[in-house]
Amino acid sequence: MSDVSVVGLGEMGGALARALINAGKSVTVWNRSEAKSTALVALGAKAPVDMAEAIAASPVVIICLSSYAASLDVLQQPGVADVMKGRLVVQLSSGTPGHARSLDSWVRAKGARYLDGAIAAWPRQIGGPEASIIGAGPDADFALAEPLLRVLAGNVSYVGANIGHAAAITNAAMAYFAGHWIGFAQGAAISEAEGIDPATFGEMLSGIGSMFADDMLKMGRAIADNRFDNAEATIKTITGDLGWLAEYAGDLGTDTAFPQLAADTFRRARDSGFGAEQHSAVVKVLRSPGKSAV
C-alpha cells in the first residue's frame, strides 16, 4: 500500500504528486489522461489501471481537479464506492461551501472520511515555504492529513470543523485577488497610455507592499469590531478620488468599468451617511441584509 494517492494531474495536481515523491513518500497517481502519469511514474509513482485501484492503494486520497463536480464524477466511477470505506478523501479542488458540504455528505455515506481544503500558491511554489493550504473538517481527519499537507506547503492552517469554511475563506480571498489583479492591470493600462513603463509601476507598488499588509490587518480588525472611527482616509475623500480616477481613465481611452464600479460603491457608502468614517466602512454597503450596517 502506498502512503497517498493523488487524483488529478494537471498543473497543480502534478506539482502535489512531485512534492510528495521528492519527500520520499510512496505515491499512487491517477488521471483520466494516462499521459500525465508518465513523468511521475519515471520519478517512482505507481499508476494503477483505474480509479478504484487508485483509491484502494492508499489510506489517504488527495483529489485536485477543476471542480467538486469533476471530483464527484471520478468518485462515481465503477468499483470506487466498494473500496472507499475507511479512506480519508482530501479535496483540494475549487468551488463553494455548498459544494463542499454536498461532497462531504456523499463521501461519508460511502463509509469514508472527508477533509475539505484549499491551496493558496502557484504550482511552482508547492513543496516550499511560500505555499499555503487550509483545511476544514473534523479534528481527527485534519490530524491524519496534516503530515502530508506539511510536505506540500510551508503554511498549513486548520480553520475548524465546519466543512464549508475552507471554501468560504478561499472565495473571500478571491474577492481580494480579483480586485488586486484587475486594479493592477488597470493601473498598468493607465501607465502605458501616459508612456510610463508598467514594470516601473510594478516596482513602485512593490516598494509599498508592507503598507498594504498593515492596512489589511487594520481593516479586518475594524470590520470585526464594527468600529470605523479614527479615519486616516475617509469614505468621502476616497469617493472623490475614485471619481477622478474614473474620469481620467475615460479621458485616456482605457476601460472604465472597474474604476466606475469602485467609484459607485464608495459613492453608495457616502450617500448612506458613512462619509466621515474610515475606508473600511465601505463594507456596510457590501454586507448581507442580515448584518447590521450601523
Side-chain angles (χ1 to χ4, degrees):
M1 178 171 280
S2 57
D3 295 319
V4 58
S5 293
V6 178
V7 174
L9 303 176
E11 290 293 325
M12 185 61 78
L16 298 175
R18 283 191 298 275
L20 290 163
I21 294 168
N22 291 338
K25 303 297 182 182
S26 57
V27 181
T28 296
V29 296
W30 187 88
N31 194 77
R32 286 187 188 276
S33 171
E34 293 182 14
K36 291 187 177 180
S37 303
T38 304
L40 296 167
V41 170
L43 293 175
K46 301 173 184 177
V49 173
D50 57 33
M51 179 64 177
E53 290 184 19
I55 296 290
S58 310
V60 179
V61 180
I62 296 175
I63 301 180
C64 186
L65 294 168
S66 60
S67 66
Y68 287 80
S71 298
L72 181 59
D73 185 55
V74 298
L75 288 171
Q76 289 177 323
Q77 291 195 14
V80 172
D82 298 332
V83 296
M84 286 185 65
K85 187 174 182 179
R87 269 45 180 196
L88 171 61
V89 175
V90 180
Q91 161 75 356
L92 296 178
S93 306
S94 300
T96 71
H99 297 153
R101 293 174 180 125
S102 178
L103 188 59
D104 173 61
S105 296
W106 189 92
V107 168
R108 293 190 185 281
K110 301 299 183 282
R113 303 161 71 176
Y114 182 83
L115 186 77
D116 201 71
I119 301 170
W122 304 118
R124 60 180 168 78
Q125 295 173 321
I126 294 298
E130 295 175 313
S132 295
I133 293 178
I134 58 175
D139 290 1
D141 294 346
F142 178 76
L144 179 59
E146 186 176 7
L148 292 171
L149 297 180
R150 291 201 178 278
V151 170
L152 302 174
N155 301 297
V156 176
S157 302
Y158 175 55
V159 296
N162 190 312
I163 204 69
H165 278 186
I169 290 173
T170 301
N171 279 274
M174 187 55 64
Y176 170 78
F177 295 142
H180 166 79
W181 293 325
I182 297 172
F184 184 90
Q186 182 83 54
I190 287 172
S191 297
E192 287 178 330
E194 286 284 8
I196 299 168
D197 185 352
T200 299
F201 171 64
E203 290 169 5
M204 184 273 292
L205 287 188
S206 175
I208 57 175
S210 61
M211 180 188 78
F212 289 107
D214 181 63
D215 188 51
M216 282 186 275
L217 292 173
K218 289 180 178 178
M219 288 181 68
R221 186 73 268 156
I223 293 170
D225 294 342
N226 210 35
R227 292 193 58 178
F228 305 100
D229 51 357
N230 298 320
E232 293 181 294
T234 66
I235 292 288
K236 180 180 178 181
T237 298
I238 293 174
T239 299
D241 291 340
L242 289 172
W244 296 128
L245 171 61
E247 178 181 329
Y248 176 46
D251 290 344
L252 289 173
T254 60
D255 191 83
T256 61
F258 181 71
Q260 197 60 60
L261 171 65
D264 289 345
T265 302
F266 271 83
R267 188 176 299 111
R268 284 167 51 209
R270 181 200 63 189
D271 294 347
S272 295
F274 311 130
E277 299 183 13
Q278 64 172 267
H279 55 295
S280 56
V282 73
V283 72
K284 295 183 180 184
V285 298
L286 300 174
R287 283 171 167 157
S288 58
K291 179 70 175 179
S292 173
V294 176

